[in-house]
């Protein structure tokens, strides 16, 4: 029997099944530099040790989306190597800050299965948790993917669909320990707009666009040790329904997060992802734009320095977002991503309160 | 009002105006690795901790051009987001060595404005200074850019053109503290030619060429957190006068610096940039070559181990430099860059004086 | 006389000649991150400090192939800048583990020369050794290259062909000090197959493919400070026999090593390269696949935790490897690499023995 794995198929999953994922991974400042250079991330807390220290932290933490993709990557060989599509995310919470030098590993539990009526694919729901070297859970999220069956004639399992929260309740957001925005310098951070300046329903066109190159997409996806074939194998993809390599959806998510800086620069931490959907696949050559909408605002109990803003960011391809294209109404295929998440933001920007670096 | 910035236009600048730039940034060995891999830099002092230690330094310092681009990048969202062209540099001095782990921020002062006769653009002169986490100035430089007016009918400001030195006087070059080239190993460094071997007027064809890829240009430009749209947005650029993305001029500068190793391997530190001009824009697919000319030589007072060499490096595209193409006479559009700078170099290579690593 | 080097030609080499190579180089976690992201390496010991510690090591060591390419890169400006082809490797032994932060330099000795009958090229054999900052040899290998003559009319030197071992004897493999696989966690490492599960003659199709992008190839080759012109200069290469840039053979070697994870995940350390041959050149756009064959098995004297597996890995382009295409019989030009090497592997995977990170 061959020792190379073809990955799991729909029949291999059953609710309650637990999976310990390979490969353990230390994320270093080197990985942070790669990540920065792939997206041009500019959020100040993650960009500067000195700025992070002015916010009470020992040093710049890892970007939570980097952490998300690293843990996601670990789940791919077991969960989605034979996935037809990555359908959605829910209940993603970042539980404790992660730091350069931390070593991560991951486990997943299968929480639902549903065979599709075509009999050749099914949907698998998993809850995945990432751990650091101390055994602390650093993040947890649910995702569901459409997976091929190995054998179309195998019987359908009993359908189990998990109940998933429409969004992470504000009360369940984990505040990074020691975080203190009372000396936050919005001039250095890049925007005069803080929590108190945003209104629910407000929409922001993030203006700028970024064109995806094949090498960038591959380098990013390998940075996360994500092995999904569709991102790497041009020969295989020639016979796929896309006809070519497709870009890891998380790459688009990061590009959107980076572009959203222009309008949400003080949205310092992504603390939760309420839900997300890759509306259309992206490919090299696509230029990503995005816009955001404020879905909610939540002061943090007992805190005057920080609040949680619920934001929806919609990313498009080749379509600037001045008109706020919505996946619900856009039928041009240009919407790539619809992401709903919570960010922590300083409450007041007020006057420039001196100098941090 | 939207919270996303369109950047400043010509009308927004006035002499005396001071700008604190976002985003603070810690530059790590990760960034150094990215930078190395983007250009193939081989200057020994910046490449090896052990070699740097043999030169009296605590470890390998950051490459000064990396520092320059990081500080430059910070000024882009405020100074040149709406720039038509980056016209020139002057009076750039590296003031104190920068180290992996340092956190940088930047400020600029507007020192000149001049509206162009077309009434739709103007030239803005700024002096920008980069600081480390201790508040020490690490470099200072002047640049001038052509910026669009927001409104063609707005009145022209009074013209102020700063007086700029033709070059940084050798006496004002900042010697990195503790630097000592008395045990410098030229064999390890890659060339038997030191300060005493170069003659004013001498020209060097650096022979090798390097072809620019779009992904490399984008990754590099994002490494510097430079947000200029022309480097990233293929859709926008389709309607520009170039018709496509153009390469950040600093990327060409770095390629030229890296190629100049073959002939100037012992030009260990760029300590000042006297002036620089992007003669023509570069785009992906261009192959960069360069040649250099020795413009001046200056021993360092009281030192027998080190001298300052004033070098002019001219970079071209798709044109090997055996004939030393000069922007003054070349009308083929193949000259990309004309850069005038000072490097520190060991005085004598003499015999191989044993072993450093 | 110009100070830029054209590199050595065949006439410049003679047996017994010793070469101290530029440029000394510190390899950091930043370089490791670049390397990871270029290949998607997943071998657990090199990927996670915590996992490495569970194997008795102080932290994750450098991947030995990264070390190989860094040392190889140093030899290029002196040995193979004018090489027509990189013909083969032999007797490559990794002598002591290398760690992030180590500074390396290299020396070579010419051990053979043979002029080709065409009178315009010759073959040069060199033994190269890499050293760390303590002066310890970290690896040693022989390679031979076909080099152009400077002058076709110069007389042929006396032929000296070194005797090279067909493979590194198992008894000469250097065990990394402190390495202890008795607590090795195969679930975390990604495969249930250990030393005892492999049989001599067994073949493994590694299934997955990875398409090479020009930017990736260039970034990788510069990461190793390898200056061979054929990888970088599209203008020059237009008039070469390939008509375009070719990919550094070591890049293909790394892609094959990364793809071989699927089937050889517990082949934790490459401890020796017995021989290697770049059967055909690769270019951007090629999709690399590979398969492996177990050539030998050697328990380690006095050890029950670890064994040495001798593996041959064959890489192809645009040709999945289910049929195990062999360079001896394949005449389609699709075989790129034929590599024969030793890996260290835990003896028994047995039951999952608890948790490491």
């Amino acid at each position: 029997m061959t020792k190379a794995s073809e990955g799991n198929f729909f029949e291999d999953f059953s609710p309650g099944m637990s999976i310990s994922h390979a490969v353990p991974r230390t994320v270093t400042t080197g990985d942070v530099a790669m990540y920065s250079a792939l997206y041009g991330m500019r959020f100040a807390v993650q960009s500067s040790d000195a700025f992070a220290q002015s916010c009470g932290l020992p040093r710049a933490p890892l970007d939570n989306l980097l952490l998300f993709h690293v843990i996601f990557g670990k789940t791919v060989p077991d969960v989605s190597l034979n996935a037809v599509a990555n359908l959605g995310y829910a209940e993603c919470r970042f539980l404790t800050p992660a730091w350069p030098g931390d070593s991560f590993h991951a486990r997943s539990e299968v929480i639902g299965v549903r065979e599709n009526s075509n009999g050749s694919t099914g949907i698998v729901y998993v809850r995945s948790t990432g751990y650091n070297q101390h055994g602390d859970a650093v993040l947890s999220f649910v995702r569901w993917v459409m997976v091929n069956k190995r054998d179309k004639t195998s019987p359908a399992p009993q359908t189990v669909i998990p109940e998933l929260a429409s969004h992470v309740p504000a009360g369940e957001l984990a505040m990074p320990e020691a975080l203190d925005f009372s000396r936050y310098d919005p001039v250095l951070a890049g925007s005069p707009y803080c929590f108190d300046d945003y209104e629910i329903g407000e929409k922001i066109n993030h203006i700028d666009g970024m064109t995806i190159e094949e090498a960038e997409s591959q380098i990013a996806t390998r940075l996360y040790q994500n092995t999904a074939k569709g991102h790497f194998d041009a020969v295989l993809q020639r016979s796929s329904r896309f006809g070519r390599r497709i870009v890891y959806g998380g790459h688009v998510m990061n590009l959107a997060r980076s572009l959203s800086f222009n309008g949400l620069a003080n949205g310092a931490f992504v603390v939760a992802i309420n839900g997300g959907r890759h509306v259309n696949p992206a490919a090299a050559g696509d230029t990503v734009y995005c816009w955001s909408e404020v879905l909610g605002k939540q002061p943090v109990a007992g805190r005057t320095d920080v609040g949680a803003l619920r934001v929806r960011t919609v990313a498009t391809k080749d379509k600037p977002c001045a008109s706020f294209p919505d996946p619900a109404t856009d039928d041009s295929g240009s919407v790539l991503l619809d992401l709903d998440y919570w960010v922590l933001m300083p409450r007041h920007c007020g006057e420039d309160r001196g100098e941090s670096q």
Side-chain angles (χ1 to χ4, degrees), chain A residues 112-188:
Chain A
V113 293
R114 192 193 75 191
E115 183 161 311
N116 286 326
S117 56
N118 61 16
S120 64
T121 59
I123 296 172
V124 178
Y125 297 78
V126 295
R127 184 181 304 275
S128 300
T129 306
Y131 301 89
N132 64 19
Q133 70 275 23
H134 309 297
D136 302 327
V138 291
L139 93 167
S140 172
F141 63 97
V142 171
R143 70 170 170 130
W144 53 106
V145 293
M146 191 187 303
V147 180
N148 282 315
K149 287 179 73 174
R150 181 178 285 109
D151 172 5
K152 217 183 141 154
T153 66
S154 60
Q158 191 177 350
T159 293
V160 175
I161 297 179
E163 262 188 67
L164 297 172
S166 69
H167 64 283
V168 177
E172 292 183 15
L173 302 176
M175 284 291 298
E177 210 180 325
L179 183 73
D180 176 1
F181 279 158
S182 58
R183 294 194 305 139
Y184 187 92
D185 183 337
V187 171
L188 260 185

Side-chain angles (χ1 to χ4, degrees), chain A residues 205-220:
Chain A
N205 169 19
H206 297 301
I207 302 174
D208 308 307
M210 211 169 260
T211 305
I212 300 170
E213 295 296 318
E214 203 78 83
E216 296 168 5
S217 161
Q218 293 198 145
I219 290 172

